[in-house]
Amino acid sequence: MKGEIIKIGTRKSELAMWQAHYVADLLDKGGFQPELIPIETKGDKIQNRSLSKIGSKGVFTEDLEKMLKRGQVDIAVHSAKDLQSKLPDGFIILSFCKREAPNDVVVSEKKIDLNQPNLTLGTSSTRRIAMLKHFYPHIKTMDARGNLQTRLEKLKAGTMDGLVLAYAGVHRMNYDDKIQCWLDTEKIAPPAGQGSVAIEIHERLNPKTAYRIKELTNHALTEKGLLTERAFLRRMDGGCSIPVFSHAQIEISGQIALTGGIFSLDGKRLIKQTMYGNEPETLGYSLADEVLQSGGKKVLQDIKASLE
């Protein structure tokens, strides 16, 4: 006898579908009957402008949230880094699946040395651009919007030497052979949530069903780290257009080590702090307050003024 049907909302890109199938497999093993409902979101449809220019909050999630609210899907599967720090009323992140390595990597068809002159890397992330300007000021950047396959096609066209991407997506799409450089998280820190698949629900979902789905899909250590990172992001009020970063690591003792900060858009200023604690939200907020008080508030104000 087949179990309860769970309709899974997802974007149509190959990586998003991989993530949805990954969740579907977990649910199937737990006795549910998963069905995938793929859609194109606003962020997928608009490819000729950077995320910071089209209004980054919820650009990949808003359309799926509308379906959740209407009951057209039971859960929505996202890259955790795409979820805005403050969800609309009635929406809940139910699960964070086990995190892949959160590093950024440089992919290319040829050998890459980050110190070589006249190097051009493709990225549309304000965080990555600011970090490259700070640590590798000789590197030029080119806008590279689109899904992973689209970006790789741009790379093949020869207009850039490499792409800066999240390792998790590269690995899940089996492009490991194209990785030329791993970027150390101590220097090129990831955005909140990078590497994890998140499951979002609306409060209308039956609590018993929600509980069972969480049992099957949530990874407790990943959840602890990502709740900390997201608390930092929420207090900083940073979206895709702000070069904010946060990376939590869970130590053997269970204590959380959180590193977070902000870059100026030109990469010249970096405010970065590390703090330790046990309670995710308290730690995330405390570190954000420390960063803001150490000069981050002025950097944030200048960025917001320049974007208006």
Side-chain angles (χ1 to χ4, degrees):
M1 181 177 174
K2 290 183 178 180
E4 180 182 356
I5 294 172
I6 298 294
K7 293 183 178 179
I8 302 173
T10 176
R11 293 164 61 196
K12 283 184 176 180
S13 75
E14 284 188 51
L15 180 55
M17 292 299 289
W18 183 98
Q19 294 175 163
H21 280 292
Y22 172 75
V23 171
D25 287 344
L26 294 175
L27 297 181
D28 182 65
K29 288 172 186 173
F32 285 109
Q33 188 180 346
E35 288 183 9
L36 268 54
I37 313 290
I39 68 160
E40 268 194 317
T41 65
K42 179 182 177 183
D44 297 310
K45 292 172 185 173
I46 304 174
Q47 293 290 330
N48 60 349
R49 281 181 285 163
S50 66
L51 294 179
S52 59
K53 299 271 195 317
I54 61 176
S56 59
K57 287 192 175 180
V59 71
F60 291 121
T61 60
E62 193 176 64
D63 294 316
L64 287 166
E65 285 171 344
K66 288 176 183 175
M67 295 179 73
L68 281 172
K69 193 170 184 178
R70 294 180 194 132
Q72 293 169 292
V73 295
D74 301 300
I75 65 173
V77 173
H78 309 283
S79 292
K81 67 176 181 178
D82 289 341
L83 278 165
Q84 54 190 304
S85 57
K86 297 175 185 175
L87 298 185
D89 289 344
F91 293 91
I92 302 158
I93 301 178
L94 181 69
S95 306
F96 293 105
C97 301
K98 188 175 182 179
R99 189 178 211 170
E100 193 63 76
N103 304 63
D104 282 336
V105 293
V106 177
V107 302
S108 180
E109 302 289 341
K110 58 188 178 184
K111 294 290 183 185
I112 293 279
D113 177 354
L114 294 179
N115 294 309
Q116 70 192 64
N118 303 316
L119 187 64
T120 300
L121 298 180
T123 176
S124 56
S125 159
T126 54
R127 175 190 59 86
R128 287 172 180 146
I129 291 169
M131 286 182 168
L132 288 171
K133 284 179 177 177
H134 184 85
F135 293 111
Y136 303 98
H138 65 285
I139 292 178
K140 296 176 183 176
T141 59
M142 285 186 65
D143 187 61
R145 275 292 318 280
N147 62 43
L148 185 54
Q149 287 71 25
T150 301
R151 295 186 206 190
L152 288 171
E153 285 301 317
K154 290 179 181 179
L155 178 62
K156 282 182 183 177
T159 53
M160 59 191 79
D161 299 300
L163 288 165
V164 187
L165 300 167
Y167 166 74
V170 174
H171 177 62
R172 288 164 181 162
M173 291 288 96
N174 297 312
Y175 292 123
D176 297 63
D177 61 324
K178 297 184 185 296
I179 296 173
Q180 303 298 333
C181 305
W182 276 74
L183 302 180
D184 187 351
T185 56
E186 292 299 312
K187 185 181 279 189
I188 308 295
Q194 183 158 290
S196 175
V197 177
I199 297 174
E200 185 183 19
I201 63 169
H202 190 267
E203 61 188 6
R204 66 188 300 283
L205 184 66
N206 181 296
K208 289 183 179 179
T209 300
Y211 178 82
R212 180 67 179 137
I213 291 172
K214 180 162 186 168
E215 269 192 328
L216 293 168
T217 58
N218 192 58
H219 185 255
L221 289 180
T222 298
E223 179 183 42
K224 189 175 183 179
L226 266 61
L227 288 176
T228 311
E229 294 173 4
R230 287 179 55 77
F232 175 87
L233 187 65
R234 191 158 55 249
R235 181 63 70 104
M236 291 293 292
D237 194 23
C240 293
S241 55
I242 310 290
V244 170
F245 57 91
S246 57
H247 181 216
Q249 294 175 287
I250 313 301
E251 301 188 327
I252 295 173
S253 64
Q255 190 177 46
I256 310 163
L258 177 65
T259 298
I262 184 171
F263 283 87
S264 58
L265 290 177
D266 62 9
K268 290 180 179 177
R269 293 203 66 195
L270 164 60
I271 313 296
K272 179 180 177 181
Q273 302 281 353
T274 298
M275 195 175 282
Y276 299 84
N278 294 299
E279 202 287 312
E281 190 155 301
T282 301
L283 177 57
Y285 282 2
S286 297
L287 183 65
D289 289 341
E290 181 69 25
V291 168
L292 291 168
Q293 290 163 16
S294 301
K297 186 174 182 180
K298 177 67 167 63
V299 174
L300 191 58
Q301 287 171 341
D302 290 346
I303 292 170
K304 289 184 174 181
S306 72
L307 294 173
E308 287 175 358

